[in-house]
Amino acid sequence: MGKQTLIDIAAAMVAPGRGILAADESTSTIGKRLASINTESSEANRRAYRELLFTAAGLEQYISGVILYDETIRQATTAATPFAELLASKGILPGIKVDTGAHELAGFAGETVTEGLDGLRERLHEYVELGARFAKWRAVIHIDKAAGRPTAGAVEVNAHALARYAALCQEVGIVPIVEPEVLMDGSHDLATCEAATAKTLTSLFAQLRAQRVALEGIVLKPNMVVSGKTCPEQASVDEVAQATVRVFRRLVPVAVPGIAFLSGGQSPQMATAHLQAMNDLGPLPWEMTFSYGRALQETALAAWHGQPDRVADGQQALLLRARLNSAARSGTYGVAMESGPG
Ligand code: 13P
């Protein structure tokens, strides 16, 4: 598969004004989301919820790609159009989560390694047949300053796995979203998150180079540099933007076409404000956009509440957040827009 194909897909994923919707929650994670609105996590309800998201009229104006889960890429609309086909017909690239989750790393208490490499080549071939143009793999890095986490060992095994995954994706013509997530969990300060993020990115790009991954054909999906969730002193929006852009300028080669952030537990409004503040610090050498899960879906889930007669409310809520994040990635978001029409 030609490198140009990868470059073209990656460019489309981070195209100006658009970002990525992460709707690839595993069955267990979507179960928790549905439980939060007192809705049973049946196959029918999971399908109905994803249909609400993907059929929102005009979503393609703000969304370039949607990350699907294995169950979801095999599902279809009420009118029997496969979700991947529906998205493609709207000009939205279908993507697929291919890792099988973070598992305890033997010998490294409190740290994890993401699994899913066995049989991945064959699975990728099947996902291409099902319409996937890009994939996602999430590595999870845990901070605990007192315990010396993240350890160099855990950072390295996760970077190694990400690079192996990325190389396999490129072999079959799928663009890998490379996601090293340094978690917000903990009471650490901004500087500690910055150091852990720097350590993670340093190891990641060394592994990507060593394993011959074409940087022009990936999309990086990192955490922002933020204060730990329970840190008594929370960094301001400007401090977050400056620390995040600083670490990326130092460590992410300009060959990478785009950085699409995860929201990681930030509130929808904070995730948008941070994205705007980072784009204010431009010009930047890469596209800087969003690949949010919770920050795009939280208000939509609440508005829908599992009620068939509230599908349109859920869609309006999704479209509002998509539009605001599109504005933020273009540097035109202002908090006054929060009350605007979807
Ligand atoms: P959040 O934006 O909710 O962190 O989800 C993004 C994602 O894809 C995590 O892997």
Side-chain angles (χ1 to χ4, degrees):
M1 185 63 70
K3 188 168 160 188
Q4 191 57 46
T5 308
L6 298 170
I7 292 173
D8 293 345
I9 297 169
M13 289 164 68
V14 296
R18 298 168 94 198
I20 296 166
L21 167 63
D24 61 322
E25 298 83 2
S26 63
T27 304
S28 119
T29 302
I30 196 69
K32 289 182 210 150
R33 306 274 188 270
L34 292 172
S36 77
I37 55 163
N38 300 320
T39 298
E40 187 203 344
S41 182
S42 59
E43 197 266 344
N45 284 341
R46 293 192 295 270
R47 195 209 61 77
Y49 174 59
R50 268 63 181 252
E51 177 164 13
L52 174 160
L53 298 177
F54 307 156
T55 57
L59 187 67
E60 62 276 15
Q61 207 182 325
Y62 316 115
I63 298 296
S64 57
V66 173
I67 317 175
L68 305 168
Y69 182 60
D70 182 77
E71 176 184 79
T72 324
I73 202 170
R74 301 173 196 279
Q75 288 174 324
T77 64
T78 311
T81 307
F83 283 147
E85 200 179 306
L86 168 84
L87 292 168
S89 74
K90 294 174 84 157
I92 296 176
L93 295 164
I96 180 76
K97 168 197 178 78
V98 300
D99 68 70
T100 56
H103 297 267
E104 282 179 22
L105 179 60
F108 291 78
E111 299 190 288
T112 56
V113 63
T114 299
E115 297 184 356
L117 287 169
D118 288 354
L120 180 57
R121 177 180 276 127
E122 292 71 27
R123 288 198 289 133
L124 285 169
H125 281 294
E126 190 196 1
Y127 288 136
V128 169
E129 293 304 311
L130 290 169
R133 309 295 300 280
F134 68 92
K136 180 191 110 168
W137 178 290
R138 171 175 176 258
V140 183
I141 304 296
H142 307 258
I143 294 181
D144 184 335
K145 210 172 170 182
R149 297 178 199 132
T151 62
V155 166
E156 188 181 339
V157 293
N158 278 289
H160 190 271
L162 273 168
R164 280 197 62 199
Y165 141 82
L168 281 163
C169 286
Q170 292 191 337
E171 181 184 275
V172 304
I174 279 191
V175 167
I177 289 185
V178 174
E179 180 177 1
E181 176 174 3
V182 177
L183 292 180
M184 286 171 74
D185 298 347
S187 59
H188 54 273
D189 61 9
L190 187 78
T192 303
C193 179
E194 183 170 352
T197 303
K199 189 170 171 177
T200 301
L201 291 172
T202 301
S203 181
L204 174 63
F205 282 98
Q207 285 293 337
L208 291 171
R209 261 194 302 277
Q211 298 191 44
R212 302 180 177 170
V213 173
L215 297 184
E216 295 81 358
I218 71 167
V219 169
L220 182 66
K221 173 164 174 165
N223 55 287
M224 298 178 200
V225 174
V226 292
S227 313
K229 226 182 271 178
T230 54
C231 179
E233 199 184 318
Q234 289 291 310
S236 68
V237 169
D238 285 342
E239 285 167 339
V240 166
Q242 278 162 17
T244 304
V245 169
R246 180 167 61 232
V247 79
F248 286 88
R249 278 194 194 278
R250 285 180 183 155
L251 295 167
V252 179
V254 297
V256 173
I259 299 177
F261 288 96
L262 59 93
S263 60
Q266 298 179 38
S267 71
Q269 206 168 323
M270 277 306 250
T272 309
H274 286 148
L275 186 59
Q276 166 67 30
M278 288 190 286
N279 277 297
D280 271 346
L281 298 175
L284 301 165
W286 339 263
E287 294 293 333
M288 206 172 237
T289 187
F290 59 92
S291 175
Y292 296 159
R294 282 162 286 181
L296 278 170
Q297 295 185 49
E298 207 170 284
T299 52
L301 257 179
W304 172 54
H305 221 85
Q307 308 294 317
D309 60 343
R310 285 166 63 174
V311 166
D313 299 324
Q315 291 180 326
Q316 283 311 305
L318 170 69
L319 288 168
L320 175 64
R321 292 272 34 112
R323 185 170 67 83
L324 297 181
N325 284 304
S326 162
R329 69 88 73 230
S330 310
T332 60
Y333 165 79
V335 76
M337 294 161 70
E338 287 288 340
S339 51

